[in-house]
Amino acid sequence: MKPFKLIVSGGGTGGHIYPALSIATAIRQEQKDADILFVGARGKMEMEKVPKAGFPIRGLWISGFQRSLSIQNFLFPLKLLVSLIQSLFILRKFKPTIVVGTGGFASGPLLQVAQWFKIPTLIQEQNSYPGITNRILGKKVNRICVAYEGMDRYFPSSKTVLTGNPIRASICGSTVDTKKAKSFFELNPQKKTLVILGGSLGSQRINELIASKIDFFKSCSLEVVWQCGAWYYDRYKSMSQDGLVVKPFVNEMDQLFTAADFIISRSGAGILSELSCVGKPLLLIPSPNVTANHQYYNAMALVNVNAARLIEEKDLEEKFEGVFSEIITNEKLQKEMQKQLKSIAKPQATQHIINEMKQLI
């Protein structure tokens, strides 16, 4: 593969950012002289996360169209126009060989302009139900990499390839020692550890649940690492104590997943792809506040093969303790979950996507 110049655009949530970073990191490892630029949306989390990962990023003045009545919607046409102009200047100056979009506001105008310039474009759709940006872009992009079967309902089948979702190499190929990982979070290595993930921004409902169940977890002899999200950290940080670690966010996910014996998580497509590779007994609580309830359907893909248990938010009060107790006490169920998660994992997804990029250029 000849050295090339790559633009990657995706953001707004970790579900868009981390696949983008996985692709860029793998390209950099394969080609030391590859020139890589990220394009995101000003004020969104990618403007912080991407530079921390060692990549340059440019920000567009763009945000999504609000479903509810909002003054921001009146600015949307202006923001879109400005972002298209900004994208034009970025593309003309950087002259990329290929442009890759992983979803989010910024990928829309950037890939649209790239298509006008006949630059090869590829989008990576993480979910079982694509967002509006990728559905629009999918009509004209050169390749669409997806993680679920049946996506030709939304995209042209001739362009669509089942690759799986990119997974961070530090997670997929982790060699972290379990005892050291637990010590990293100041946990007792002799006890089982529960890890709670509420998504990159945090989940109010999951946080409320966990806050009310601390004594229950203690009665189960569990230590807990609770990633509550930056938005909620000030509310819950005072609850940290021996055996309960409250974090706004965890960057060392390889350490976190190695320390975990059980995991409670949202069911965004990206995190499910990583959790499949991790292979730890899993309870999913899908967010109901997403397009077409896609987190529920993401989760059911695992539940249907006995790789996870699921509780909807509306049933948490009634069902949580019973379902969770079954997971932590039923060793046969634990082994079945671990086996099934590993069987559906796609650890080579990133390389598969890169191979598709090579074909385009």
Side-chain angles (χ1 to χ4, degrees):
M1 188 176 181
K2 295 179 180 179
F4 68 99
K5 304 182 75 173
L6 168 67
I7 290 184
V8 188
S9 182
T13 68
H16 295 314
I17 296 168
Y18 295 120
L21 286 172
S22 296
I23 293 168
T25 301
I27 288 289
R28 176 175 282 178
Q29 291 172 346
E30 189 171 302
Q31 289 201 50
K32 304 297 184 184
D33 55 353
D35 198 357
I36 302 172
L37 174 68
F38 275 74
V39 175
R42 290 182 187 174
K44 297 298 180 181
M45 63 184 297
E46 60 264 27
M47 302 305 293
E48 174 190 355
K49 299 296 182 185
V50 170
K52 281 187 176 180
F55 294 98
I57 187 168
R58 296 283 301 276
L60 303 181
W61 189 47
I62 188 66
S63 59
F65 193 83
Q66 305 299 312
R67 297 176 191 174
S68 58
L69 186 62
S70 170
I71 189 68
Q72 292 297 319
N73 287 342
F74 293 103
L75 285 174
F76 180 77
L78 177 60
K79 287 185 175 182
L80 179 59
L81 177 60
V82 171
S83 293
L84 288 167
I85 295 170
Q86 290 175 314
S87 297
L88 187 151
F89 281 106
I90 290 170
L91 290 166
R92 290 194 66 174
K93 182 177 180 180
F94 191 78
K95 294 182 173 61
T97 313
I98 188 169
V99 178
V100 173
T102 59
F105 308 138
S107 62
L110 185 81
L111 269 78
Q112 180 63 71
V113 177
Q115 290 170 359
W116 292 342
F117 282 124
K118 307 298 183 184
I119 299 168
T121 52
L122 177 149
I123 57 174
Q124 193 271 323
E125 174 55 57
Q126 300 92 38
N127 290 295
S128 58
Y129 185 87
I132 184 66
T133 300
N134 275 355
R135 273 185 284 162
I136 294 171
L137 292 171
K139 297 174 183 178
K140 293 187 178 179
V141 293
N142 300 100
R143 191 79 83 248
I144 304 158
C145 296
V146 300
Y148 290 87
E149 300 276 3
M151 294 300 284
D152 51 4
R153 289 174 293 173
Y154 310 107
F155 300 123
S157 58
S158 60
K159 302 178 182 179
T160 304
V161 182
L162 180 64
T163 60
N165 283 320
I167 297 167
R168 286 170 279 187
S170 61
I171 293 170
C172 192
S174 176
T175 57
V176 177
D177 176 76
T178 301
K179 185 175 181 180
K180 289 181 179 178
K182 295 197 177 194
S183 297
F184 180 85
F185 293 101
E186 300 181 346
L187 301 170
N188 183 346
Q190 304 303 317
K191 289 189 174 183
K192 299 287 188 180
T193 299
L194 167 65
V195 166
I196 296 126
L197 306 169
S200 55
L201 301 177
S203 162
Q204 178 178 337
R205 185 66 189 92
I206 290 179
N207 286 337
E208 291 171 348
L209 172 74
I210 300 308
S212 71
K213 299 297 181 183
I214 299 304
D215 289 340
F216 170 68
F217 295 139
K218 286 182 179 178
S219 73
C220 298
S221 298
L222 291 172
E223 303 221 311
V224 177
V225 181
W226 174 12
Q227 182 182 289
C228 65
W231 287 1
Y232 301 97
Y233 182 61
D234 287 343
R235 187 184 308 177
Y236 295 107
K237 62 183 179 182
S238 63
M239 297 183 70
S240 283
Q241 54 188 274
D242 287 345
L244 173 61
V245 180
V246 183
K247 295 278 190 180
F249 193 81
V250 177
N251 288 309
E252 302 84 2
M253 295 299 286
D254 54 339
Q255 300 272 11
L256 183 64
F257 286 143
T258 302
D261 294 285
F262 309 101
I263 298 173
I264 296 174
S265 177
R266 283 299 201 198
S267 50
I271 191 64
L272 290 191
S273 295
E274 295 187 339
L275 292 173
S276 295
C277 285
V278 169
K280 301 291 178 74
L282 182 59
L283 173 60
L284 299 173
I285 305 173
S287 171
N289 307 310
V290 294
T291 304
N293 202 23
H294 68 255
Q295 283 206 10
Y296 172 82
Y297 295 105
N298 290 347
M300 284 303 299
L302 272 64
V303 173
N304 288 337
V305 295
N306 213 25
R309 289 287 188 264
L310 177 153
I311 308 177
E312 295 185 72
E313 282 193 358
K314 62 184 177 63
D315 298 324
L316 281 172
E317 293 300 329
E318 176 186 356
K319 296 182 177 180
F320 177 77
E321 290 192 12
V323 173
F324 183 74
S325 294
E326 180 193 17
I327 292 172
I328 64 172
T329 58
N330 188 332
E331 292 187 7
K332 182 178 179 181
L333 174 62
Q334 293 168 19
K335 291 178 181 178
E336 176 68 8
M337 284 185 175
Q338 291 169 329
K339 175 186 174 183
Q340 292 300 106
L341 284 166
K342 293 288 188 180
S343 73
I344 62 179
K346 291 184 171 63
Q348 301 303 317
T350 303
Q351 188 58 51
H352 194 164
I353 292 167
I354 291 174
N355 291 342
E356 296 297 324
M357 292 167 58
K358 291 178 183 180
Q359 290 183 24
L360 292 179
I361 62 174

